[in-house]
């Protein structure tokens, strides 16, 4: 039951955000997550997109995503993101699970 995390971010302090980025991949992969895309210049096709970074993550299932997001390591690291950016983040189901 694959799930995806879509994050739209406005980074306002790149130096502090770099502290978040530096530790991100190690924690993500420990919990089965994959970084599928990071785009600092998404091409807007329709509507407004007031973000300067868009991220797409993949996890084997919702339990793995929750274990990552709620882990002590990530909770400690995410303080840097909170201090340096604002975000809208959503969990979405993989295509095979949409009807369930």
């Amino acid at each position: 039951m694959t799930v995806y995390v879509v994050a739209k971010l406005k980074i306002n302090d790149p130096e502090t955000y770099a502290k978040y980025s530096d530790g991100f991949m190690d924690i993500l992969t420990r919990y089965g997550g994959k970084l599928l895309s990071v785009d600092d210049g998404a091409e807007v096709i329709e509507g407004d997109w007031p973000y300067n970074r868009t991220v797409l993550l993949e996890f084997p299932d919702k339990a793995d995503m929750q274990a990552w997001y709620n882990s002590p390591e990530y909770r400690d690291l995410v303080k840097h993101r909170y201090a340096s950016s604002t975000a809208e983040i959503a969990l979405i189901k993989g295509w095979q699970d949409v009807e369930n």
Side-chain angles (χ1 to χ4, degrees):
M1 201 178 324
T2 303
V3 297
Y4 300 91
V5 173
V6 179
K8 303 179 297 184
L9 300 119
K10 282 187 186 180
I11 300 169
N12 51 41
D13 179 353
E15 191 171 298
T16 300
Y17 189 86
K19 295 175 187 176
Y20 172 74
S21 293
D22 289 346
F24 182 81
M25 285 302 295
D26 181 52
I27 298 169
L28 178 73
T29 57
R30 267 190 256 159
Y31 290 89
K34 293 181 186 176
L35 177 62
L36 299 181
S37 180
V38 176
D39 194 335
D40 290 336
E43 181 179 343
V44 180
I45 298 170
E46 188 173 319
D48 293 323
W49 199 270
Y51 309 98
N52 54 16
R53 175 164 287 181
T54 305
V55 178
L56 178 61
L57 307 176
E58 177 185 78
F59 287 89
D61 55 42
K62 186 176 179 179
D64 287 327
M65 186 284 303
Q66 290 173 324
W68 162 74
Y69 189 77
N70 295 312
S71 70
E73 308 99 293
Y74 186 70
R75 294 286 85 202
D76 187 52
L77 182 66
V78 79
K79 291 184 255 182
H80 300 297
R81 180 172 62 77
Y82 293 155
S84 62
S85 66
T86 58
E88 294 182 12
I89 301 173
L91 173 69
I92 59 175
K93 297 176 184 177
W95 177 251
Q96 70 276 14
D97 300 312
V98 170
E99 294 183 9
N100 297 328

